């Protein structure tokens, strides 16, 4: 540098011109954000911008390809991110008035990207005039609708039940239980044969909630179907409700030694592998991860599901069935018409079937063209008898109750709190304003 | 290095070895625009109830008042401090030992330097993900498997599931990743220690320990300053590893200030409160760093 600069002729001019150039750079940099907003806002030549969560990649990609066959001029850009990133990225874009045309939307309330939260802020387009919305059963209102208007597209529901290894069950000479006491017997038999009855990966936070969710429908909603309204009105609490029975049963399973050792230190991946390899007999899980369990098994057909029995009358078994994560259209979508047409297309029976098949869920409506995974067949009569309850968090008033539930279960499993303490924590979080 | 004399003559009589301040202006403008302005503008939100979307109203010092009564946030301060102390002490002690080791004439020292430094270039999230396998609580797997194989089965632990151990498991992971980073900085310091000083000390009859204590150690002070500062700041704002490895669990036993402020903003949608927590964290880190820098600078010597 030193020799070079000495031999440069007329350095003063060069440096001034250089400075000017730098100055120009700064101007360009200042102009850049507005430019980016202009592009991101959707002025990008009528391209419909879709941002989904990772679980939606398979159905969206598949259905987009199908849509292009009938609409060859339809242009879309898609991006998919894990749940946490979606919450940060899409929310930031919404805050910046730079929303994608179509974006991931969680049913009901209870999360930062949920239908109620965003509809409250006026960020969602009303989809009520679409034909498919007329088929949404009244019982799903809280998931899809706010003040009578439909804001969410979701293809159907996934259920929570026991994913089990059929070969392990057969080798141990046991059958899927249909009552709570049968479940305890089956677990005892399995344990006596040296098999972990129930694999639990509670190190992964979302896994902690599944057993409570599987038990609460019988413990709470079977007796009091309006429990959510009671909670909202402040007339009920977790601590003084059937939640205490459900949590007590959860803890009972641990006390009897029916879980693997150290569930709080075991991850979802380890849980999956335990059941897939036959080290454990079952795991309480969402139907949408059945394919993950199958992929980890030597023989995928060994894995199936049965309703996790929370009660003692097989004819009166209630189960949790949550509307799967879906899509919303932004209230300020630049390509609103095209975006709505695509959602309309997703609402046809054929495409509800395609979407739910891709994520092992049960479509909103079924007809003769619906082909369900046989593993889900045992759940259908329960759903058709209206004994399915949405996932509990979909009616919670703020985004803090669910993480409080995770922490409460982990503390419970670690012996750091008791059922009452755990539920009091959840009541405290429920009482916070959103 | 020779000075750029022509610049000096053109801009007037000044010390020719010092480049004019004008040169920093372009960088400063960009930095101010991209970092300083948004950061300072963001502080405003600490005094609002903004949810991240929509309108907000000013709530004065409410957020700070809430923070003082927020058990989870306060517990996370304790966790953050414990983690920081553990990481600063262990990471630098191991880093120093590694540096002393690879600064000798052992064979394959170049290879060893690469091996020890390698973890530092891996993304922290990946490291956390891999260590979840190392920390598998099963007897035959990961670290527990190794302990069993070498006859230390009694030391097997539920690394990430035992609430009183989780924090230390996370610290172990961070130390594993960054001890090599400290090593490189110490190594640079060691190579700046003149050989003749060691030679003189040896002639005076100083043993290995004395030569380290009275020659190497004082001259390593600048490297120590950098290492302590970097690891302290890194520890106080530790996020990725905790978030990816435990998400603050089991329960809330490994929450740090950074995971709390992340959750408040992006999970609970309380940007106002989260900004207040972030502001407190930033002031805290700045204060600790300044005190540390003053103290450590004062004890530096030159050869």
């Amino acid at each position: 540098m030193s020799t070079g600069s000495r031999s440069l002729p007329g350095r003063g001019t060069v440096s001034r011109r250089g400075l000017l150039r730098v100055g120009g750079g700064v101007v360009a940099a200042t102009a850049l954000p507005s430019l980016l907003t202009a592009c991101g806002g959707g002025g990008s030549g009528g391209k419909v911008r879709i941002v989904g969560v990772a679980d939606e990649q398979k159905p969206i990609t598949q259905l987009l390809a199908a849509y292009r066959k009938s609409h060859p001029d339809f242009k879309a850009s898609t991006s998919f991110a894990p749940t946490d990133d979606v919450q940060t990225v899409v929310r930031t874009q919404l805050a910046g008035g730079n929303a994608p045309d179509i974006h991931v939307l969680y049913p009901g309330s209870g999360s930062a990207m949920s239908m109620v939260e965003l509809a409250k802020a006026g960020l969602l387009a009303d989809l009520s005039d679409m034909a498919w919305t007329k088929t949404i059963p009244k019982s799903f209102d809280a998931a899809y609708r706010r003040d009578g208007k439909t804001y969410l597209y979701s293809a159907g529901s996934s259920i929570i039940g026991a994913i089990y290894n059929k070969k392990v069950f057969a080798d141990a000479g046991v059958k899927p239980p249909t009552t709570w006491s049968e479940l305890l017997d089956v677990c005892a038999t399995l344990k006596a044969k040296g098999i972990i009855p129930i694999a639990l990966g509670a190190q992964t936070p979302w896994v902690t909630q599944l057993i409570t969710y599987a038990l609460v429908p019988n413990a709470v909603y079977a007796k009091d179907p309006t429990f959510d309204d009671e909670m909202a009105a402040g007339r009920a609490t977790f601590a003084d409700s059937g939640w205490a029975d459900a949590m007590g049963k959860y803890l009972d399973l641990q006390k009897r030694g029916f879980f693997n050792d150290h569930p709080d230190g075991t991850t979802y991946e380890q849980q999956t592998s335990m059941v897939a390899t036959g080290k454990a007999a079952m795991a309480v899980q969402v139907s949408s991860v059945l394919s993950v369990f199958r992929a980890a098994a030597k023989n995928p057909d060994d894995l199936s599901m049965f309703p996790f029995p929370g009660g003692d009358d097989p004819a009166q078994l209630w189960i949790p069935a949550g509307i799967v994560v879906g899509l919303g259209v932004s209230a300020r979508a630049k390509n609103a018409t095209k975006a709505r047409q695509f959602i309309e297309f997703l609402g046809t029976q054929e495409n509800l079937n395609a979407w739910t098949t891709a994520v092992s869920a049960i479509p909103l409506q079924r007809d003769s063209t619906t082909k369900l995974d046989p593993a889900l067949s045992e759940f259908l009569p329960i759903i058709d008898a209206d004994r399915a309850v949405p996932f509990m968090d979909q009616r919670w008033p703020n985004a803090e109750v669910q993480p409080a539930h995770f922490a409460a279960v982990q503390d419970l499993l670690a012996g750091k709190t008791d059922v009452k303490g755990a539920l009091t924590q959840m009541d405290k979080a429920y009482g916070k304003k959103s | 290095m020779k000075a750029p004399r022509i610049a000096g003559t053109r801009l007037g009589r000044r010390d020719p070895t010092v480049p004019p301040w004008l040169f920093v202006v372009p960088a400063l403008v960009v930095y101010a625009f991209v970092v300083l302005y948004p950061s300072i503008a963001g502080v405003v939100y600490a005094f609002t109830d903004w949810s991240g979307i929509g309108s907000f109203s000013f709530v004065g010092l409410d957020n700070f008042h809430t923070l003082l009564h927020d058990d989870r946030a306060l517990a996370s301060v304790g966790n953050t401090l414990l983690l920081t102390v553990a990481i600063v002490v262990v990471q630098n002690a191991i880093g120093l030992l590694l540096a002393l080791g690879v600064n000798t004439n052992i064979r394959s020292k170049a290879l060893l330097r690469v091996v020890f430094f390698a973890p530092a270039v891996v993304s922290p999230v990946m490291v956390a993900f891999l260590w979840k396998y190392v920390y598998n609580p099963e007897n035959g797997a990961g670290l527990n498997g190794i302990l069993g194989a070498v006859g230390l089965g009694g030391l097997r632990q539920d690394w990430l599931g035992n609430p009183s151990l989780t924090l230390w498991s996370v610290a172990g992971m961070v130390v594993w990743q960054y001890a090599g980073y400290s090593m490189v900085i110490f190594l640079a310091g060691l190579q700046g220690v003149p050989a003749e000083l060691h030679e003189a000390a040896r002639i005076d009859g100083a043993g290995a320990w004395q030569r380290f204590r009275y020659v190497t150690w004082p001259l390593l002070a600048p490297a120590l300053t950098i290492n302590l500062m970097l690891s302290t700041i890194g520890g106080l704002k530790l996020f990725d590893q905790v978030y990816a490895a435990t998400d603050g669990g089991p329960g809330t036993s490994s929450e740090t200030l950074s995971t709390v402020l992340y959750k408040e903003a992006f999970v609970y949608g309380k940007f106002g409160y989260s900004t207040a927590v972030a502001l407190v964290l930033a002031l805290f880190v700045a204060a600790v760093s300044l005190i540390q820098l003053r103290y450590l600078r004062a004890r530096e010597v030159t050869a």
Side-chain angles (χ1 to χ4, degrees), chain B residues 72-271:
Chain B
R72 201 164 51 99
L74 294 180
S76 77
V77 174
N79 287 342
T80 309
L81 290 176
L82 286 175
L83 254 182
T84 306
V85 171
I87 290 171
V88 168
V89 172
V90 182
Q91 178 184 318
N92 289 306
I94 294 179
L96 179 61
L97 288 177
L98 291 178
L100 291 170
V102 297
N103 197 37
T104 55
N105 281 327
I106 55 166
R107 287 170 63 184
S108 69
K109 65 180 174 185
L111 177 72
L112 285 175
R113 286 176 191 180
V114 173
V115 168
F116 293 144
F117 184 70
V121 301
V122 181
S123 141
V125 176
M126 285 312 299
V127 168
F129 192 70
L130 293 175
W131 274 76
K132 279 203 208 179
Y133 286 89
V134 175
Y135 284 147
N136 187 330
E138 278 185 54
N139 275 345
L143 185 54
N144 282 346
I146 297 173
L147 287 172
V150 297
L152 292 172
L155 293 179
R156 286 192 285 232
Q157 300 290 342
D158 179 9
W159 302 102
L160 292 175
N162 179 347
S164 38
L165 189 70
T166 318
L167 210 54
W168 311 118
S169 302
V170 172
M173 199 170 82
V174 176
V175 167
W176 174 82
Q177 183 171 18
Y178 291 117
Y181 193 81
S182 296
M183 175 198 77
V184 168
I185 295 171
F186 278 126
L187 200 56
L190 284 175
Q191 290 176 345
V193 179
E196 56 268 29
L197 285 185
H198 275 294
E199 214 175 292
R202 202 177 288 123
I203 291 168
D204 287 344
W209 166 249
Q210 282 170 314
R211 271 181 283 130
F212 172 76
R213 175 68 189 83
Y214 297 106
V215 178
T216 311
W217 182 242
L219 289 174
L220 266 185
L224 186 69
T225 304
I226 296 172
N227 267 332
L228 289 184
M229 295 277 300
L230 288 180
S231 51
T232 306
I233 295 172
L236 289 175
K237 48 178 223 176
L238 195 66
F239 174 75
D240 316 35
Q241 291 93 337
V242 184
Y243 180 69
T246 70
D247 196 22
T252 53
S253 58
S254 62
E255 295 274 20
T256 65
L257 266 176
S258 297
T259 60
V260 166
L261 79 87
Y262 170 83
K263 284 183 186 174
E264 288 293 343
F266 296 109
V267 182
Y268 307 160
K270 294 188 171 167
F271 276 71

Side-chain angles (χ1 to χ4, degrees), chain A residues 260-340:
Chain A
N260 42 290
D261 288 339
H262 312 305
D264 269 357
T266 304
T267 64
Y268 160 64
E269 288 80 9
Q270 289 153 10
Q271 174 193 41
T272 308
S273 123
M274 277 187 227
V275 180
T277 58
K279 257 188 90 169
M282 65 182 120
V284 177
Q285 266 296 357
V286 197
S287 57
S288 52
V289 300
L290 180 58
S291 56
V292 180
F293 277 68
R294 283 181 172 151
K298 211 184 277 171
N299 180 8
D301 289 338
D302 282 347
L303 293 165
S304 187
M305 287 188 81
F306 65 84
F308 194 69
D312 268 323
D313 181 359
Q316 281 303 316
L317 179 60
W318 285 57
I319 57 160
I323 301 303
V324 295
V325 56
L327 296 170
V329 176
S330 168
R332 290 170 215 154
K334 294 277 156 55
N335 297 298
T337 321
K338 286 182 183 169
R340 299 175 73 93

Side-chain angles (χ1 to χ4, degrees), chain A residues 84 91 95 203 265 279 399-400 410, chain B residues 51-52 137-138 243 245 250-251 270:
Chain A
D84 297 317
R91 258 184 87 95
Q203 206 270 340
K279 257 188 90 169
E400 294 194 41
Q410 287 182 335
Chain B
S51 72
E138 278 185 54
Y243 180 69
K270 294 188 171 167

Side-chain angles (χ1 to χ4, degrees), chain A residues 2 96 166 230 252 262 268 347 427 431:
Chain A
S2 46
K166 285 194 277 191
E230 302 279 309
D252 191 35
H262 312 305
Y268 160 64
D427 277 319

